Structures are given as structure tokens and as C-alpha cells.
Short mmCIF file of all heavy atoms in Angstrom, two decimals:
data_model
loop_
_atom_site.label_atom_id
_atom_site.label_comp_id
_atom_site.label_asym_id
_atom_site.label_seq_id
_atom_site.Cartn_x
_atom_site.Cartn_y
_atom_site.Cartn_z
N ILE F 923 81.82 206.33 -53.05
CA ILE F 923 81.12 205.07 -53.13
C ILE F 923 82.05 203.98 -53.65
O ILE F 923 81.85 202.82 -53.38
CB ILE F 923 79.85 205.23 -53.99
CG1 ILE F 923 78.87 206.10 -53.21
CG2 ILE F 923 79.24 203.89 -54.31
CD1 ILE F 923 77.62 206.43 -53.91
N ALA F 924 83.07 204.38 -54.35
CA ALA F 924 84.05 203.41 -54.84
C ALA F 924 85.01 202.97 -53.73
O ALA F 924 85.78 202.05 -53.93
CB ALA F 924 84.84 203.99 -56.01
N GLU F 925 84.95 203.63 -52.59
CA GLU F 925 85.83 203.30 -51.47
C GLU F 925 85.43 201.96 -50.85
O GLU F 925 84.24 201.70 -50.62
CB GLU F 925 85.75 204.38 -50.39
CG GLU F 925 86.14 205.75 -50.84
CD GLU F 925 87.64 205.90 -50.99
OE1 GLU F 925 88.38 205.26 -50.23
OE2 GLU F 925 88.06 206.66 -51.88
N ASP F 926 86.43 201.12 -50.58
CA ASP F 926 86.15 199.84 -49.94
C ASP F 926 85.47 200.00 -48.60
O ASP F 926 84.58 199.22 -48.25
CB ASP F 926 87.44 199.03 -49.76
CG ASP F 926 87.97 198.48 -51.07
OD1 ASP F 926 87.21 198.39 -52.05
OD2 ASP F 926 89.16 198.13 -51.11
N ALA F 927 85.87 201.02 -47.84
CA ALA F 927 85.28 201.23 -46.51
C ALA F 927 83.78 201.43 -46.59
O ALA F 927 83.03 200.95 -45.74
CB ALA F 927 85.95 202.42 -45.83
N TRP F 928 83.31 202.13 -47.61
CA TRP F 928 81.86 202.34 -47.74
C TRP F 928 81.17 201.04 -48.12
O TRP F 928 80.18 200.65 -47.51
CB TRP F 928 81.55 203.43 -48.77
CG TRP F 928 80.11 203.81 -48.72
CD1 TRP F 928 79.54 204.70 -47.85
CD2 TRP F 928 79.04 203.28 -49.50
NE1 TRP F 928 78.18 204.75 -48.06
CE2 TRP F 928 77.85 203.89 -49.07
CE3 TRP F 928 78.97 202.35 -50.52
CZ2 TRP F 928 76.62 203.60 -49.62
CZ3 TRP F 928 77.73 202.06 -51.08
CH2 TRP F 928 76.57 202.69 -50.63
N ALA F 929 81.69 200.37 -49.10
CA ALA F 929 81.08 199.10 -49.55
C ALA F 929 81.12 198.07 -48.44
O ALA F 929 80.18 197.26 -48.30
CB ALA F 929 81.80 198.59 -50.79
N ASN F 930 82.16 198.07 -47.62
CA ASN F 930 82.29 197.09 -46.54
C ASN F 930 81.22 197.25 -45.46
O ASN F 930 81.03 196.34 -44.66
CB ASN F 930 83.68 197.16 -45.93
CG ASN F 930 84.74 196.63 -46.86
OD1 ASN F 930 84.46 195.92 -47.82
ND2 ASN F 930 85.99 197.01 -46.60
N GLN F 931 80.53 198.38 -45.43
CA GLN F 931 79.44 198.56 -44.46
C GLN F 931 78.33 197.54 -44.66
O GLN F 931 77.60 197.23 -43.73
CB GLN F 931 78.82 199.96 -44.58
CG GLN F 931 79.73 201.09 -44.20
CD GLN F 931 78.98 202.39 -44.29
OE1 GLN F 931 78.42 202.84 -43.29
NE2 GLN F 931 78.95 202.98 -45.47
N PHE F 932 78.22 197.00 -45.87
CA PHE F 932 77.17 196.02 -46.16
C PHE F 932 77.55 194.62 -45.70
O PHE F 932 76.69 193.77 -45.57
CB PHE F 932 76.87 196.01 -47.67
CG PHE F 932 76.20 197.27 -48.15
CD1 PHE F 932 76.93 198.35 -48.60
CD2 PHE F 932 74.81 197.38 -48.14
CE1 PHE F 932 76.32 199.50 -49.04
CE2 PHE F 932 74.18 198.53 -48.57
CZ PHE F 932 74.94 199.60 -49.02
N ASP F 933 78.85 194.39 -45.45
CA ASP F 933 79.30 193.08 -44.98
C ASP F 933 78.64 192.73 -43.66
O ASP F 933 78.61 193.54 -42.73
CB ASP F 933 80.82 193.05 -44.80
CG ASP F 933 81.58 193.07 -46.11
OD1 ASP F 933 80.94 192.92 -47.17
OD2 ASP F 933 82.80 193.25 -46.06
N GLY F 934 78.11 191.54 -43.59
CA GLY F 934 77.52 191.07 -42.35
C GLY F 934 76.09 191.50 -42.12
O GLY F 934 75.45 191.03 -41.18
N LEU F 935 75.56 192.38 -42.96
CA LEU F 935 74.16 192.77 -42.81
C LEU F 935 73.28 191.65 -43.34
O LEU F 935 73.63 190.94 -44.28
CB LEU F 935 73.86 194.06 -43.57
CG LEU F 935 74.48 195.34 -43.04
CD1 LEU F 935 74.12 196.52 -43.93
CD2 LEU F 935 74.03 195.59 -41.61
N SER F 936 72.14 191.49 -42.74
CA SER F 936 71.19 190.48 -43.16
C SER F 936 70.65 190.79 -44.55
O SER F 936 70.50 191.95 -44.92
CB SER F 936 70.03 190.43 -42.16
OG SER F 936 68.99 189.62 -42.65
N ALA F 937 70.33 189.75 -45.28
CA ALA F 937 69.72 189.92 -46.60
C ALA F 937 68.23 190.23 -46.46
O ALA F 937 67.55 190.47 -47.44
CB ALA F 937 69.92 188.67 -47.44
N GLU F 938 67.73 190.24 -45.23
CA GLU F 938 66.33 190.56 -44.97
C GLU F 938 66.18 192.05 -44.73
O GLU F 938 67.04 192.68 -44.15
CB GLU F 938 65.84 189.80 -43.73
CG GLU F 938 65.95 188.29 -43.87
CD GLU F 938 65.08 187.73 -44.96
OE1 GLU F 938 63.95 188.22 -45.17
OE2 GLU F 938 65.54 186.79 -45.64
N GLY F 939 65.10 192.61 -45.15
CA GLY F 939 64.80 194.01 -44.85
C GLY F 939 65.53 194.99 -45.75
O GLY F 939 66.32 194.62 -46.60
N GLU F 940 65.23 196.25 -45.54
CA GLU F 940 65.80 197.34 -46.33
C GLU F 940 66.96 197.98 -45.59
O GLU F 940 67.03 197.93 -44.37
CB GLU F 940 64.73 198.40 -46.59
CG GLU F 940 63.60 197.93 -47.47
CD GLU F 940 64.02 197.66 -48.91
OE1 GLU F 940 64.84 198.41 -49.44
OE2 GLU F 940 63.53 196.67 -49.46
N PHE F 941 67.83 198.61 -46.33
CA PHE F 941 68.94 199.35 -45.75
C PHE F 941 68.50 200.79 -45.55
O PHE F 941 67.76 201.34 -46.35
CB PHE F 941 70.15 199.33 -46.68
CG PHE F 941 70.64 197.95 -46.97
CD1 PHE F 941 70.42 197.37 -48.20
CD2 PHE F 941 71.31 197.23 -45.99
CE1 PHE F 941 70.87 196.09 -48.46
CE2 PHE F 941 71.76 195.95 -46.24
CZ PHE F 941 71.53 195.38 -47.48
N VAL F 942 68.99 201.40 -44.48
CA VAL F 942 68.71 202.80 -44.20
C VAL F 942 70.03 203.55 -44.33
O VAL F 942 71.02 203.17 -43.72
CB VAL F 942 68.13 202.99 -42.78
CG1 VAL F 942 67.89 204.45 -42.48
CG2 VAL F 942 66.84 202.18 -42.64
N VAL F 943 70.04 204.61 -45.14
CA VAL F 943 71.25 205.41 -45.33
C VAL F 943 71.16 206.63 -44.43
O VAL F 943 70.18 207.37 -44.47
CB VAL F 943 71.41 205.83 -46.81
CG1 VAL F 943 72.62 206.72 -46.98
CG2 VAL F 943 71.50 204.61 -47.71
N ARG F 944 72.18 206.82 -43.60
CA ARG F 944 72.24 207.93 -42.66
C ARG F 944 73.35 208.89 -43.06
O ARG F 944 74.41 208.46 -43.51
CB ARG F 944 72.52 207.43 -41.24
CG ARG F 944 71.45 206.52 -40.70
CD ARG F 944 70.27 207.34 -40.25
NE ARG F 944 69.25 206.48 -39.70
CZ ARG F 944 67.97 206.64 -39.91
NH1 ARG F 944 67.55 207.63 -40.65
NH2 ARG F 944 67.10 205.83 -39.39
N LYS F 945 73.12 210.19 -42.89
CA LYS F 945 74.16 211.18 -43.19
C LYS F 945 75.26 211.14 -42.14
O LYS F 945 76.42 211.39 -42.45
CB LYS F 945 73.57 212.58 -43.27
CG LYS F 945 72.76 212.81 -44.52
CD LYS F 945 72.33 214.25 -44.61
CE LYS F 945 71.56 214.49 -45.90
NZ LYS F 945 71.21 215.89 -46.07
N ASN F 946 74.90 210.86 -40.91
CA ASN F 946 75.88 210.81 -39.82
C ASN F 946 76.17 209.35 -39.49
O ASN F 946 76.00 208.48 -40.33
CB ASN F 946 75.37 211.59 -38.62
CG ASN F 946 75.20 213.07 -38.97
OD1 ASN F 946 76.09 213.68 -39.54
ND2 ASN F 946 74.05 213.63 -38.65
N SER F 947 76.58 209.09 -38.29
CA SER F 947 76.95 207.72 -37.93
C SER F 947 75.76 206.78 -38.10
O SER F 947 74.61 207.15 -37.88
CB SER F 947 77.48 207.67 -36.51
OG SER F 947 76.48 208.06 -35.59
N ALA F 948 76.09 205.57 -38.50
CA ALA F 948 75.06 204.56 -38.76
C ALA F 948 75.17 203.44 -37.74
O ALA F 948 76.25 203.15 -37.22
CB ALA F 948 75.24 204.00 -40.17
N ASP F 949 74.05 202.82 -37.45
CA ASP F 949 73.98 201.70 -36.52
C ASP F 949 73.81 200.42 -37.32
O ASP F 949 72.75 200.16 -37.88
CB ASP F 949 72.81 201.91 -35.55
CG ASP F 949 72.71 200.82 -34.50
OD1 ASP F 949 73.46 199.83 -34.57
OD2 ASP F 949 71.86 200.98 -33.60
N HIS F 950 74.88 199.64 -37.40
CA HIS F 950 74.87 198.41 -38.19
C HIS F 950 73.78 197.47 -37.71
O HIS F 950 73.15 196.78 -38.51
CB HIS F 950 76.26 197.75 -38.08
CG HIS F 950 76.60 196.88 -39.22
ND1 HIS F 950 77.14 195.65 -39.06
CD2 HIS F 950 76.50 197.06 -40.56
CE1 HIS F 950 77.36 195.10 -40.23
NE2 HIS F 950 76.98 195.94 -41.16
N ALA F 951 73.52 197.45 -36.40
CA ALA F 951 72.50 196.57 -35.84
C ALA F 951 71.09 196.94 -36.32
O ALA F 951 70.19 196.10 -36.31
CB ALA F 951 72.56 196.60 -34.32
N ARG F 952 70.92 198.19 -36.75
CA ARG F 952 69.61 198.65 -37.23
C ARG F 952 69.55 198.67 -38.76
O ARG F 952 68.68 199.30 -39.33
CB ARG F 952 69.31 200.03 -36.66
CG ARG F 952 69.16 199.99 -35.13
CD ARG F 952 68.93 201.33 -34.54
NE ARG F 952 67.66 201.87 -35.04
CZ ARG F 952 67.30 203.13 -34.92
NH1 ARG F 952 68.10 203.99 -34.32
NH2 ARG F 952 66.16 203.56 -35.38
N HIS F 953 70.50 197.99 -39.40
CA HIS F 953 70.52 197.89 -40.87
C HIS F 953 70.81 199.23 -41.53
O HIS F 953 70.27 199.54 -42.59
CB HIS F 953 69.21 197.29 -41.37
CG HIS F 953 69.39 196.11 -42.25
ND1 HIS F 953 68.51 195.79 -43.23
CD2 HIS F 953 70.35 195.17 -42.32
CE1 HIS F 953 68.91 194.71 -43.86
NE2 HIS F 953 70.04 194.31 -43.32
N GLU F 954 71.66 200.02 -40.88
CA GLU F 954 71.99 201.35 -41.38
C GLU F 954 73.40 201.37 -41.97
O GLU F 954 74.28 200.66 -41.50
CB GLU F 954 71.90 202.38 -40.26
CG GLU F 954 70.53 202.53 -39.68
CD GLU F 954 70.48 203.47 -38.50
OE1 GLU F 954 71.54 203.85 -37.97
OE2 GLU F 954 69.37 203.83 -38.10
N VAL F 955 73.58 202.17 -43.00
CA VAL F 955 74.90 202.44 -43.56
C VAL F 955 75.06 203.96 -43.61
O VAL F 955 74.10 204.70 -43.74
CB VAL F 955 75.09 201.82 -44.97
CG1 VAL F 955 75.08 200.31 -44.90
CG2 VAL F 955 74.05 202.31 -45.95
N GLN F 956 76.31 204.40 -43.49
CA GLN F 956 76.58 205.84 -43.50
C GLN F 956 76.82 206.31 -44.93
O GLN F 956 77.60 205.72 -45.67
CB GLN F 956 77.80 206.17 -42.63
CG GLN F 956 78.03 207.65 -42.49
CD GLN F 956 79.14 207.95 -41.51
OE1 GLN F 956 79.68 207.07 -40.87
NE2 GLN F 956 79.46 209.23 -41.38
N ALA F 957 76.15 207.38 -45.30
CA ALA F 957 76.30 207.95 -46.64
C ALA F 957 77.70 208.54 -46.80
O ALA F 957 78.33 208.95 -45.83
CB ALA F 957 75.26 209.05 -46.87
N VAL F 958 78.15 208.58 -48.02
CA VAL F 958 79.40 209.26 -48.33
C VAL F 958 79.13 210.76 -48.28
O VAL F 958 78.14 211.24 -48.84
CB VAL F 958 79.90 208.85 -49.74
CG1 VAL F 958 81.12 209.65 -50.14
CG2 VAL F 958 80.18 207.37 -49.80
N THR F 959 79.99 211.50 -47.60
CA THR F 959 79.82 212.96 -47.50
C THR F 959 79.76 213.58 -48.89
O THR F 959 80.62 213.33 -49.72
CB THR F 959 80.97 213.58 -46.70
OG1 THR F 959 81.00 212.97 -45.41
CG2 THR F 959 80.80 215.08 -46.56
N GLY F 960 78.71 214.35 -49.13
CA GLY F 960 78.55 215.00 -50.43
C GLY F 960 77.96 214.10 -51.50
O GLY F 960 77.83 214.52 -52.64
N ALA F 961 77.63 212.88 -51.13
CA ALA F 961 77.08 211.94 -52.12
C ALA F 961 75.92 211.15 -51.53
O ALA F 961 75.77 209.96 -51.77
CB ALA F 961 78.18 210.99 -52.60
N THR F 962 75.08 211.84 -50.77
CA THR F 962 73.96 211.16 -50.12
C THR F 962 73.02 210.53 -51.13
O THR F 962 72.58 209.39 -50.96
CB THR F 962 73.19 212.13 -49.20
OG1 THR F 962 74.11 212.66 -48.25
CG2 THR F 962 72.06 211.43 -48.49
N ILE F 963 72.71 211.25 -52.19
CA ILE F 963 71.79 210.71 -53.20
C ILE F 963 72.40 209.47 -53.86
O ILE F 963 71.73 208.45 -54.02
CB ILE F 963 71.42 211.78 -54.25
CG1 ILE F 963 70.58 212.87 -53.58
CG2 ILE F 963 70.67 211.17 -55.43
CD1 ILE F 963 70.34 214.08 -54.45
N SER F 964 73.68 209.53 -54.19
CA SER F 964 74.35 208.37 -54.78
C SER F 964 74.40 207.21 -53.79
O SER F 964 74.20 206.05 -54.17
CB SER F 964 75.77 208.72 -55.22
OG SER F 964 75.74 209.70 -56.23
N SER F 965 74.66 207.51 -52.53
CA SER F 965 74.70 206.47 -51.51
C SER F 965 73.35 205.78 -51.40
O SER F 965 73.26 204.55 -51.31
CB SER F 965 75.08 207.07 -50.15
OG SER F 965 76.36 207.65 -50.20
N LYS F 966 72.28 206.58 -51.41
CA LYS F 966 70.93 206.01 -51.34
C LYS F 966 70.63 205.17 -52.58
O LYS F 966 70.00 204.12 -52.49
CB LYS F 966 69.88 207.11 -51.17
CG LYS F 966 69.90 207.72 -49.79
CD LYS F 966 68.84 208.80 -49.65
CE LYS F 966 68.85 209.38 -48.26
NZ LYS F 966 67.81 210.41 -48.08
N ALA F 967 71.08 205.62 -53.73
CA ALA F 967 70.85 204.88 -54.97
C ALA F 967 71.55 203.53 -54.93
O ALA F 967 70.96 202.51 -55.31
CB ALA F 967 71.33 205.69 -56.17
N VAL F 968 72.78 203.50 -54.45
CA VAL F 968 73.50 202.22 -54.36
C VAL F 968 72.82 201.30 -53.35
O VAL F 968 72.65 200.11 -53.61
CB VAL F 968 74.98 202.44 -54.01
CG1 VAL F 968 75.67 201.13 -53.69
CG2 VAL F 968 75.69 203.15 -55.15
N ALA F 969 72.41 201.83 -52.21
CA ALA F 969 71.70 201.02 -51.21
C ALA F 969 70.42 200.45 -51.81
O ALA F 969 70.07 199.29 -51.57
CB ALA F 969 71.40 201.83 -49.97
N HIS F 970 69.74 201.24 -52.62
CA HIS F 970 68.51 200.78 -53.28
C HIS F 970 68.83 199.66 -54.29
O HIS F 970 68.10 198.67 -54.36
CB HIS F 970 67.82 201.96 -53.97
CG HIS F 970 66.57 201.59 -54.67
ND1 HIS F 970 65.40 201.30 -54.00
CD2 HIS F 970 66.30 201.42 -55.99
CE1 HIS F 970 64.47 200.98 -54.89
NE2 HIS F 970 64.99 201.05 -56.10
N ILE F 971 69.89 199.81 -55.04
CA ILE F 971 70.31 198.78 -56.01
C ILE F 971 70.63 197.48 -55.28
O ILE F 971 70.22 196.40 -55.72
CB ILE F 971 71.50 199.27 -56.84
CG1 ILE F 971 71.06 200.39 -57.78
CG2 ILE F 971 72.16 198.13 -57.60
CD1 ILE F 971 72.20 201.16 -58.41
N VAL F 972 71.35 197.57 -54.17
CA VAL F 972 71.68 196.38 -53.39
C VAL F 972 70.40 195.72 -52.88
O VAL F 972 70.24 194.49 -52.97
CB VAL F 972 72.63 196.72 -52.22
CG1 VAL F 972 72.78 195.55 -51.26
CG2 VAL F 972 73.99 197.16 -52.75
N ALA F 973 69.47 196.52 -52.37
CA ALA F 973 68.21 195.99 -51.87
C ALA F 973 67.41 195.30 -52.97
O ALA F 973 66.83 194.23 -52.76
CB ALA F 973 67.38 197.10 -51.22
N GLU F 974 67.39 195.89 -54.16
CA GLU F 974 66.65 195.28 -55.27
C GLU F 974 67.30 193.98 -55.72
O GLU F 974 66.61 193.01 -56.04
CB GLU F 974 66.54 196.25 -56.44
CG GLU F 974 65.57 197.37 -56.15
CD GLU F 974 64.95 197.93 -57.42
OE1 GLU F 974 65.41 197.62 -58.53
OE2 GLU F 974 63.98 198.69 -57.27
N ALA F 975 68.62 193.94 -55.74
CA ALA F 975 69.32 192.71 -56.10
C ALA F 975 69.03 191.61 -55.08
O ALA F 975 68.79 190.45 -55.45
CB ALA F 975 70.82 192.96 -56.21
N LEU F 976 69.02 191.98 -53.81
CA LEU F 976 68.70 190.99 -52.77
C LEU F 976 67.28 190.49 -52.90
O LEU F 976 67.02 189.31 -52.67
CB LEU F 976 68.94 191.59 -51.38
CG LEU F 976 70.40 191.71 -50.97
CD1 LEU F 976 70.52 192.50 -49.68
CD2 LEU F 976 71.03 190.33 -50.83
N ALA F 977 66.36 191.37 -53.25
CA ALA F 977 64.97 190.95 -53.42
C ALA F 977 64.86 189.88 -54.51
O ALA F 977 64.05 188.96 -54.40
CB ALA F 977 64.09 192.15 -53.76
N ARG F 978 65.70 189.99 -55.51
CA ARG F 978 65.67 189.00 -56.60
C ARG F 978 66.25 187.65 -56.18
O ARG F 978 65.84 186.63 -56.69
CB ARG F 978 66.44 189.53 -57.80
CG ARG F 978 65.74 190.67 -58.49
CD ARG F 978 66.46 191.07 -59.76
NE ARG F 978 65.81 192.22 -60.34
CZ ARG F 978 66.43 193.33 -60.69
NH1 ARG F 978 67.73 193.44 -60.53
NH2 ARG F 978 65.76 194.33 -61.21
N VAL F 979 67.23 187.66 -55.28
CA VAL F 979 67.87 186.41 -54.90
C VAL F 979 67.33 185.82 -53.60
O VAL F 979 67.63 184.68 -53.27
CB VAL F 979 69.41 186.55 -54.80
CG1 VAL F 979 70.01 186.94 -56.13
CG2 VAL F 979 69.83 187.49 -53.71
N ARG F 980 66.50 186.56 -52.87
CA ARG F 980 65.96 186.05 -51.60
C ARG F 980 65.26 184.70 -51.76
O ARG F 980 65.46 183.82 -50.92
CB ARG F 980 65.02 187.06 -50.97
CG ARG F 980 65.73 188.05 -50.13
CD ARG F 980 64.77 188.90 -49.28
NE ARG F 980 65.52 190.02 -48.76
CZ ARG F 980 65.37 191.28 -49.14
NH1 ARG F 980 64.48 191.59 -50.04
NH2 ARG F 980 66.11 192.22 -48.62
N PRO F 981 64.43 184.49 -52.80
CA PRO F 981 63.79 183.18 -52.92
C PRO F 981 64.81 182.03 -53.00
O PRO F 981 64.62 180.99 -52.38
CB PRO F 981 62.97 183.30 -54.21
CG PRO F 981 62.70 184.76 -54.34
CD PRO F 981 63.94 185.43 -53.82
N GLU F 982 65.88 182.25 -53.73
CA GLU F 982 66.91 181.21 -53.82
C GLU F 982 67.64 181.03 -52.50
O GLU F 982 67.95 179.91 -52.10
CB GLU F 982 67.90 181.54 -54.94
CG GLU F 982 69.01 180.53 -55.10
CD GLU F 982 68.55 179.13 -55.50
OE1 GLU F 982 67.41 178.94 -55.96
OE2 GLU F 982 69.36 178.20 -55.35
N LEU F 983 67.91 182.12 -51.81
CA LEU F 983 68.56 182.04 -50.50
C LEU F 983 67.67 181.25 -49.52
O LEU F 983 68.16 180.40 -48.77
CB LEU F 983 68.85 183.42 -49.94
CG LEU F 983 69.90 184.26 -50.69
CD1 LEU F 983 69.95 185.66 -50.09
CD2 LEU F 983 71.26 183.59 -50.62
N ALA F 984 66.38 181.54 -49.56
CA ALA F 984 65.45 180.83 -48.68
C ALA F 984 65.39 179.36 -49.04
O ALA F 984 65.35 178.49 -48.17
CB ALA F 984 64.06 181.46 -48.78
N ARG F 985 65.39 179.05 -50.34
CA ARG F 985 65.34 177.67 -50.78
C ARG F 985 66.56 176.92 -50.29
O ARG F 985 66.45 175.81 -49.76
CB ARG F 985 65.24 177.58 -52.29
CG ARG F 985 65.04 176.16 -52.84
CD ARG F 985 65.14 176.09 -54.34
NE ARG F 985 66.49 176.31 -54.83
CZ ARG F 985 67.48 175.39 -54.77
NH1 ARG F 985 67.28 174.23 -54.20
NH2 ARG F 985 68.67 175.66 -55.27
N ARG F 986 67.72 177.53 -50.43
CA ARG F 986 68.96 176.88 -50.00
C ARG F 986 69.02 176.73 -48.48
O ARG F 986 69.57 175.77 -47.98
CB ARG F 986 70.17 177.66 -50.50
CG ARG F 986 70.35 177.54 -51.99
CD ARG F 986 71.59 178.24 -52.44
NE ARG F 986 71.70 178.18 -53.89
CZ ARG F 986 72.82 178.42 -54.53
NH1 ARG F 986 73.92 178.74 -53.87
NH2 ARG F 986 72.83 178.36 -55.84
N ALA F 987 68.49 177.68 -47.76
CA ALA F 987 68.51 177.61 -46.30
C ALA F 987 67.61 176.49 -45.82
O ALA F 987 67.86 175.89 -44.78
CB ALA F 987 68.07 178.93 -45.70
N GLY F 988 66.57 176.18 -46.60
CA GLY F 988 65.65 175.11 -46.23
C GLY F 988 66.18 173.73 -46.51
O GLY F 988 65.65 172.73 -46.02
N ASN F 989 67.27 173.62 -47.27
CA ASN F 989 67.83 172.29 -47.60
C ASN F 989 68.90 171.88 -46.64
O ASN F 989 69.57 172.53 -46.02
CB ASN F 989 68.43 172.31 -49.02
CG ASN F 989 67.33 172.42 -50.07
OD1 ASN F 989 66.20 172.04 -49.81
ND2 ASN F 989 67.69 172.93 -51.22
#
């Protein structure tokens, strides 16, 4: 999870919706990220943390987009 390649999967994903963690290949267009081999639970936990952080900032993002 500390690998840049894993974290970079979130680049370009919309701040809308939830992330889906897949054990095998992931479809970026479907808001999916690929879990780290042997660390699926940790991968899901990080995706959940990112989603919760986005939920907190979405109102501000929406406000700024409206200006």
C-alpha cells in the first residue's frame, strides 16, 4: 500500500461514488482499484478511508464547482 503504483490508481478517479477494490485486474472506468496481493483487507481499509475523506470534502468541492 506504500507503493506509489497502488496509490496512483486513485489519480483521475471521480470524487463521486465509492471505490471498489478488486483482487484481480481493476477497471478504472468503473471506479475500481486493484488490491495489493496479500493485503486485500488493508487495501479495502485504505479505499474506505479515502472514500470517507472525500465524503467530508464533497460539499466544499461542490461549492467551488458552482462558483
